[in-house]
Amino acid sequence: MDKFARHASTYRSICIQCRTRLLPNRPLLRPFSTSTPHSAEPPIPIPESSTPSSPQQEPPSFLSTIRSSQTNNAFTNYDPKPESPFGSSVESIYEHARYGRYSPAAASTWSTADTPVLPEPYHLHVYSTRHNTHITLTKPDRNPIISVSSGTIGFRKAARGTYDAGYQLGAYVMGKIQQQGLLTQIHALEVVLRDFGPGREAVTKILLGSEGKNLRGRVTRVCDATRLKFGGTRSKKARRL
């Protein structure tokens, strides 16, 4: 076996320029391609015509279709220059470019007759910390109607931050709302949750349970008002137990 046969696999892995330089008198072991080059797209068949000397007709273009549609009254009501809602004066165009769609010129043309104005809802604030739970019911103008905490209903010291204290406080507030006849006044209620103490889940269970069945249907929004610190002052050191 000659040297070329022993290193045939090595010669197959190099490019054709290196093969020609290293093996000028030996034929290539494997040609790259024996197929004839052809176009990637198949040729478009030309339909046979009775008069081969006549030129081939081109398909109708988009502009010719539009022109034929205009002749058929398809765009009779088309206005090439519609009237701008901001006016055609230089001042109105400048205001539109500066303020956008909320320019003073556009705001003067707005109609608020068809825009429904929703009344401000009542607010039920639930502030639950690790040590206590506070519930405040406010009017639409944010004046408080009921403001109680776990200590109001008799819990003391560490018992104020428990789940049971938050549950009993939520039931107490629901009973207080019915006693004062506030159900007829509360047309919409927004529940505002703050922090993640045990009382947060307890008051949520009250609203979803039998105690809050009369108030649950008036809830229009539930939001979270937990304070988030972006940077801010340095936190207190962690307590070591």
Side-chain angles (χ1 to χ4, degrees):
M1 183 181 296
D2 59 349
K3 181 179 179 181
F4 176 77
R6 282 187 284 106
H7 300 282
S9 60
T10 304
Y11 293 128
R12 291 194 189 100
S13 62
I14 62 178
C15 62
I16 188 171
Q17 289 83 3
C18 296
R19 291 186 197 180
T20 307
R21 181 172 54 85
L22 296 175
L23 305 172
N25 299 326
R26 299 299 296 266
L28 295 178
L29 294 180
R30 184 184 61 184
F32 283 98
S33 176
T34 57
S35 60
T36 57
H38 60 277
S39 176
E41 298 181 356
I44 301 176
I46 301 176
E48 298 180 359
S49 176
S50 58
T51 57
S53 60
S54 61
Q56 184 180 0
Q57 296 181 356
E58 297 182 356
S61 62
F62 177 75
L63 293 177
S64 62
T65 306
I66 295 297
R67 293 192 186 98
S68 61
S69 301
Q70 289 178 353
T71 55
N72 295 333
N73 296 329
F75 298 93
T76 305
N77 299 326
Y78 172 72
D79 186 6
K81 295 181 179 180
E83 183 180 356
S84 174
F86 302 99
S88 58
S89 61
V90 178
E91 291 79 6
S92 60
I93 295 175
Y94 171 75
E95 288 183 354
H96 176 51
R98 181 178 180 183
Y99 301 102
R101 58 181 298 186
Y102 301 105
S103 62
S108 61
T109 61
W110 292 346
S111 175
T112 58
D114 301 333
T115 305
V117 179
L118 298 178
E120 184 71 17
Y122 284 67
H123 300 85
L124 182 66
H125 297 267
V126 180
Y127 179 29
S128 175
T129 63
R130 294 184 304 169
H131 309 292
N132 206 341
T133 302
H134 304 263
I135 298 180
T136 304
L137 178 67
T138 63
K139 295 180 180 179
D141 56 359
R142 306 305 175 108
N143 289 327
I145 304 175
I146 300 174
S147 181
V148 292
S149 65
S150 299
T152 308
I153 58 178
F155 288 90
R156 293 289 178 266
K157 297 185 179 181
R160 293 176 294 183
T162 59
Y163 180 91
D164 184 51
Y167 193 92
Q168 294 190 25
L169 181 64
Y172 173 79
V173 171
M174 296 302 154
K176 194 98 172 174
I177 292 175
Q178 292 184 358
Q179 290 177 6
Q180 296 184 9
L182 298 175
L183 289 176
T184 58
Q185 303 177 15
I186 300 176
H187 49 82
L189 181 67
E190 178 180 347
V191 181
V192 182
L193 303 175
R194 179 181 171 186
D195 279 350
F196 301 96
R200 179 186 179 115
E201 184 67 22
V203 177
T204 304
K205 289 294 181 63
I206 286 292
L207 288 173
L208 298 177
S210 59
E211 295 88 350
K213 62 181 180 179
N214 296 327
L215 198 64
R216 184 167 58 242
R218 294 173 169 83
V219 176
T220 59
R221 184 185 179 190
V222 179
C223 63
D224 187 271
T226 304
R227 304 292 191 266
L228 296 178
K229 183 175 67 172
F230 295 90
T233 58
R234 181 172 176 174
S235 302
K236 296 177 62 177
K237 66 176 183 179
R239 183 183 177 187
R240 297 181 182 180
L241 298 177

